[in-house]
Amino acid sequence: MISYLFGFAVIGVGMMAAGFNILVTIVHYRAPGMTWSRIPIFVWSILSTAALLTLATPVLFAAGMYGVLDKTVQTAFYVSEHGAVPICGRTSSGSSAIPRSISWPFRASA
């Protein structure tokens, strides 16, 4: 289990590096005279995908590292027996925000 979590963390670092590499490549290696308004739509789509990779992957990396720390150092980020609060799918009033038909994987067993 720890190797899976660590593997996801390594993949996250690779995705961040790839996204940053693509961003820098598009910005610095444009053709001379190519303004931002003349860039093809394909390059814009690659640029937006790279921006999403660069901005969203650190959250997934942190979640994976918290899982690794839970398993190795016995922290309490996700383990409810050690003090973590299971709040997935709950609103502030305590009622479920996810319909019952799709929330069964997320409910804690009683």
Side-chain angles (χ1 to χ4, degrees):
M1 180 71 172
I2 295 172
S3 60
Y4 285 124
L5 292 172
F6 187 71
F8 286 134
V10 170
I11 289 171
V13 170
M15 288 172 59
M16 285 186 284
F20 187 71
N21 183 17
I22 293 170
L23 282 171
V24 170
T25 301
I26 290 174
V27 170
H28 287 291
Y29 290 117
R30 286 182 291 145
M34 175 73 70
T35 62
W36 286 104
S37 61
R38 295 186 62 179
I39 292 179
I41 192 73
F42 177 75
V43 178
W44 279 111
S45 67
I46 296 297
L47 186 72
S48 62
T49 303
L52 287 173
L53 272 174
T54 305
L55 296 174
T57 308
V59 176
L60 300 174
F61 172 74
M65 290 310 296
Y66 288 159
V68 168
L69 288 174
D70 273 353
K71 293 291 184 183
T72 56
V73 190
Q74 307 303 320
T75 58
F77 292 112
Y78 298 123
V79 183
S80 59
E81 290 84 19
H82 296 289
V85 180
I87 59 170
C88 184
R90 297 288 173 196
T91 61
S92 60
S93 65
S95 63
S96 179
I98 303 173
R100 281 198 176 274
S101 60
I102 61 171
S103 68
W104 65 268
F106 305 113
R107 283 183 276 162
S109 59

